Amino acid sequence: MFKFAKAGAILLVGLLFAGAASAQTKVAVVNIQAAIMSTEKASAKINALKTSSEYSQLQNSAENIRAEVQKMAEDAQKNGVTWSEEKKAEEQRKMNFKRSDFETAVKKLRAMEGQAVQDLQKDLLPKAKEALEAVIKERKLDLVLDASAAVYAGDGANLTEELVKRLNAAK
């Protein structure tokens, strides 16, 4: 795996040096995922999720459980010295159950968020690719890299904002 990544990096550097040697090569970068998540549609979907009753109830439940665990921990720290070993074990078990409940609630929240992101990407990725192809043709670009692969890209070389504008305009 590391050999492939190393070979890919060497190839990328070679392409960049070859591009620098030839003034005719036009290179740009784009972060398609960031563009999708920056659209008005994505903001609306995420806001709708976070204001939904199911999400809000789950979030409130997680916060309440977190507060209970914190209160239990403070109580154990304050009064634990006077507790019997059985009481300490019982309180620890209760805290572990509450922590487990908290982790489950957080996992459910993250799953809901993940599903919303996945739905957005499924819906907008084809449109983003289409818009990106149009930008590539208009600018007559020779090479477009993922922004995370670039060490440096000037403002004019990053297509992400333009992609967001086109996706918002497409609706």
Side-chain angles (χ1 to χ4, degrees), residues 38-124:
S38 297
T39 61
E40 293 167 358
K41 185 172 186 172
S43 294
K45 185 161 181 94
I46 297 299
N47 286 338
L49 170 68
K50 290 189 176 185
T51 58
S52 72
S53 63
E54 182 182 4
Y55 188 91
S56 296
Q57 287 173 355
L58 196 52
Q59 192 171 29
N60 288 337
S61 174
E63 277 300 313
N64 290 338
I65 294 169
R66 186 194 58 75
E68 286 178 42
V69 169
Q70 185 175 355
K71 185 177 178 184
M72 291 170 82
E74 289 170 358
D75 187 39
Q77 187 173 12
K78 181 179 176 184
N79 301 319
V81 176
T82 62
W83 291 346
S84 68
E85 290 302 315
E86 294 81 23
K87 173 78 171 168
K88 286 181 185 176
E90 176 66 20
E91 291 301 314
Q92 184 63 44
R93 186 178 61 77
K94 287 179 184 177
M95 274 189 11
N96 289 341
F97 285 150
K98 286 290 181 185
R99 282 188 187 122
S100 179
D101 291 345
F102 175 75
E103 290 169 4
T104 300
V106 169
K107 283 180 185 176
K108 287 179 182 178
L109 288 167
R110 298 302 166 250
M112 291 172 75
E113 292 167 359
Q115 185 61 52
V117 168
Q118 196 173 36
D119 291 346
L120 280 165
Q121 289 178 350
K122 184 179 177 183
D123 182 37
L124 292 177

Side-chain angles (χ1 to χ4, degrees), residues 7-54:
I10 291 171
L11 179 61
L12 179 62
V13 169
L15 284 171
L16 290 176
F17 282 132
S22 169
Q24 305 295 351
T25 303
K26 291 185 177 181
V27 179
V29 297
V30 67
N31 186 333
I32 293 177
Q33 302 307 323
I36 288 172
M37 295 310 296
S38 297
T39 61
E40 293 167 358
K41 185 172 186 172
S43 294
K45 185 161 181 94
I46 297 299
N47 286 338
L49 170 68
K50 290 189 176 185
T51 58
S52 72
S53 63
E54 182 182 4

